[in-house]
Amino acid sequence: MSRDEAIAGLRQAVANCRRCDLWKTRNSPVLGEGSLHAKILFVGEAPGFNEDRQGRPFVGKAGTIFDQLLNSINLKRQDIYITNVLKCRPPQNRNPFPSEIKACSLYLHSQIETIKPEKICCLGNFAASFIMKKFGLQDKLAGISLIHGKAFAVSTLAGQIEIIPLYHPAVATYDAGMLEPLKKDFFILEKT
Ligand code: URA
Ligand code: SF4
């Protein structure tokens, strides 16, 4: 099966998914988008209001900041792949429940298996927790303010990859002072 076929299958599965209750309140599920041959995979938390409307990841305020950060290291959306831990929006953007993360996890696992990124950038605590546990880094897991911008190398069946926790771009929408630390971390990403 080609990467296109695999991702098309996931898109179909997510469109019909009722594995947790979020299907009842979502408008559009958001599988993710970008290059299926991307070397860098970004993982956020869950769709918000705008993403749920459009069916696309990071298209609201946090998305505008994400685009600025990507541009600052000369990357475009087409160069990377971006998705979220949850594919459906939690009502009022509340935090994901552990049961929802578990129910939805098969989709992100499949995306990683299909895209085979060299680096996985975790945007915020929920993504960092999911990805670091998946790759056996639970001992290194700590609040994002302690581990942001560090690259953790792990060996996988697809070779060595790097896990890089980052602040969630949404933090800069309510605290403009967070833009600088985010930019600094993206520059590290450019060099790693
Ligand atoms: N925040 C996220 O975590 N993901 C999105 O897609 C948008 C905002
Ligand atoms: Fe299915 Fe995930 Fe949506 Fe829950 S959040 S309904 S598990 S796609």
Side-chain angles (χ1 to χ4, degrees), residues 6-189:
I7 295 293
L10 289 180
R11 200 173 289 284
Q12 183 73 32
V14 161
N16 297 318
C17 184
R18 296 187 171 190
R19 291 175 57 89
C20 79
D21 282 346
L22 293 179
W23 70 271
K24 294 179 185 169
T25 46
R26 74 168 185 219
N27 286 298
S28 318
V30 180
L31 178 63
E33 65 184 28
S35 167
L36 303 189
H37 292 270
K39 292 195 168 62
I40 310 180
L41 171 68
F42 288 90
V43 181
E45 181 175 317
F49 177 87
N50 292 287
E51 291 77 20
D52 177 66
R53 283 290 160 95
Q54 297 183 37
R56 298 182 53 211
F58 283 89
V59 290
K61 274 194 217 157
T64 306
I65 295 189
F66 178 74
D67 285 335
Q68 281 176 23
L69 292 163
L70 261 192
N71 290 342
S72 75
I73 55 168
N74 296 312
L75 288 176
K76 299 194 174 62
R77 289 273 183 135
Q78 308 91 276
D79 303 323
I80 57 105
Y81 194 89
I82 182 161
T83 185
N84 288 298
V85 173
L86 291 188
K87 310 312 188 198
C88 303
R89 182 193 182 207
Q92 278 79 49
N93 301 343
R94 65 156 168 74
N95 285 342
F97 295 150
S99 58
E100 292 163 349
I101 294 175
K102 195 169 173 205
C104 208
S105 61
L106 76 170
Y107 302 119
L108 183 49
H109 290 312
S110 298
Q111 286 172 304
I112 293 169
E113 203 172 303
T114 301
I115 297 165
K116 300 180 177 57
E118 291 174 8
K119 296 175 191 179
I120 303 181
C121 297
C122 315
L123 303 173
N125 278 307
F126 283 95
S129 170
F130 182 96
I131 295 292
M132 290 180 74
K133 285 179 189 159
K134 171 178 168 71
F135 288 101
L137 292 169
Q138 54 280 349
D139 292 354
K140 305 278 188 334
L141 190 54
I144 203 76
S145 60
L146 296 172
I147 54 175
H148 70 95
K150 295 187 182 174
F152 298 93
V154 289
S155 295
T156 74
L157 291 176
Q160 177 150 312
I161 69 170
E162 278 180 356
I163 308 299
I164 307 172
L166 298 170
Y167 283 116
H168 194 292
V171 297
T173 65
Y174 41 80
D175 178 358
M178 289 302 293
L179 200 53
E180 272 315 304
L182 264 165
K183 275 193 177 151
K184 263 195 183 162
D185 284 353
F186 269 69
F187 279 120
I188 296 167
L189 175 62

